[in-house]
Amino acid sequence: MALNHLSLLRPLLCQPLLRHVRSPLTSCISSRPFLGPDNIQHPASAAGCIRLYATKKAKAKAKGQSAKVNINSALVEDIISLDEVKEDMTAVLDSLKDDFTRNLSIRTSPGALDHIVVTTQDGKFPLRQLGQISMKSPQLIMVNMSSFPEATAAATRALRESGMNLNPEVDGMIIKVPVPKVTREHRENLAKVAKQLSNKAKDSVRRVRSNAVTQVKKAKEGHSEDTIRLVEKQIQQMADSTATDIDKQLAAKTKELLG
């Protein structure tokens, strides 16, 4: 008789016990269903001891979904043109794609030297602004420095230190650049250049984002803090999306170069 009364009191004792036990792993349900004195299962009594907890992964997913915004650009035109911000970021991505196509190819071309920066007494300049680059033959690139002959030595040094395995030779105002064989080292050097170009593209995207956020902050008067905050989040999402596209372009180009 005493055991039967104890079985009936078990669900009632379980409720106050949960108030003192904080661990989410604690449960008052055994592997067997609760049975009353008449051997009838009482699922409702057992269910009273269940406490469910959201997993960290589920919470993070819900947080990410709630943080995403999608503002109609026409509604915030008096604050900033989100379409123009998007265009500026897209232009950075398109420029990177163009650089990858023209300058980073296994088959060497005059454009492969465009990214090289020459340091002179007057500052830093792209090689293509100082000299005329042309393909003399499939095995030789020529750089005509007649427009800026005083920069010939600096240009030669920049070519040699470019990391492209180049060994330039000076002939008066002409720099002769033999095309290196396509070795594994050459492929790896091109992949490094691709990484450098993608990092510069990300820097450009950050500048676009920073300038846009500065413009938004200047328009705080006459707009609620929530509106300003949502616009800033939208700009950040656009920058993050563009950065992701840059990473995808880099991954594809690296795979192409390294095989």
Side-chain angles (χ1 to χ4, degrees), residues 244-255:
T244 299
D245 290 338
I246 290 174
D247 287 336
K248 290 179 180 178
Q249 290 295 322
L250 174 61
K253 192 63 182 180
T254 301
K255 184 177 180 181

Side-chain angles (χ1 to χ4, degrees), residues 29-219:
I29 302 177
S30 64
S31 59
R32 295 177 296 175
F34 169 72
L35 298 178
D38 51 357
N39 290 331
I40 298 177
Q41 184 174 346
H42 295 270
S45 298
C49 298
I50 297 177
R51 188 175 182 183
L52 300 178
Y53 291 84
T55 63
K56 290 183 179 180
K57 185 176 181 180
K59 289 181 179 179
K61 183 177 180 181
K63 183 178 180 181
Q65 291 176 344
S66 62
K68 190 172 184 179
V69 296
N70 187 14
I71 300 175
N72 186 337
S73 59
L75 300 178
V76 294
E77 282 185 345
D78 56 333
I79 300 176
I80 192 172
S81 174
L82 291 177
D83 290 337
E84 289 184 3
V85 176
K86 180 64 176 177
E87 289 175 1
D88 290 343
M89 292 185 180
T90 301
V92 174
L93 180 62
D94 291 341
S95 177
L96 178 66
K97 292 178 181 178
D98 185 56
D99 282 340
F100 280 178
T101 301
R102 290 189 301 107
N103 303 332
L104 296 180
S105 175
I106 299 299
R107 297 180 62 185
T108 304
S109 65
L113 307 182
D114 284 353
H115 72 281
I116 294 178
V117 177
V118 181
T119 302
T120 69
Q121 293 180 347
D122 297 324
K124 296 182 178 181
F125 304 91
L127 178 61
R128 64 177 179 273
Q129 291 185 6
L130 300 177
Q132 182 180 358
I133 306 173
S134 61
M135 203 81 179
K136 180 70 174 179
S137 70
Q139 291 78 34
L140 184 64
I141 296 177
M142 306 282 282
V143 184
N144 189 332
M145 299 294 297
S146 58
S147 297
F148 298 92
E150 67 277 8
T152 301
T156 303
R157 183 169 57 254
L159 287 165
R160 187 173 290 111
E161 297 174 356
S162 65
M164 297 178 63
N165 194 30
L166 302 177
N167 187 25
E169 301 173 358
V170 179
D171 183 8
M173 290 181 291
I174 302 296
I175 303 176
K176 299 179 180 179
V177 186
V179 176
K181 294 181 179 179
V182 183
T183 61
R184 181 67 183 179
E185 181 182 4
H186 180 56
R187 290 173 180 266
E188 291 175 351
N189 287 334
L190 290 178
K192 290 179 182 179
V193 174
K195 179 67 173 178
Q196 293 171 1
L197 291 174
S198 65
N199 287 338
K200 289 181 180 179
K202 286 184 177 181
D203 289 341
S204 296
V205 172
R206 293 189 192 101
R207 283 193 294 271
V208 173
R209 180 197 61 79
S210 179
N211 293 337
V213 170
T214 299
Q215 182 179 341
V216 171
K217 290 184 181 299
K218 290 180 180 179

Side-chain angles (χ1 to χ4, degrees), residues 213-231:
V213 170
T214 299
Q215 182 179 341
V216 171
K217 290 184 181 299
K218 290 180 180 179
K220 280 187 175 181
E221 292 187 9
H223 300 89
S224 67
E225 292 183 1
D226 288 341
T227 299
I228 297 298
R229 191 179 301 111
L230 287 175
V231 174

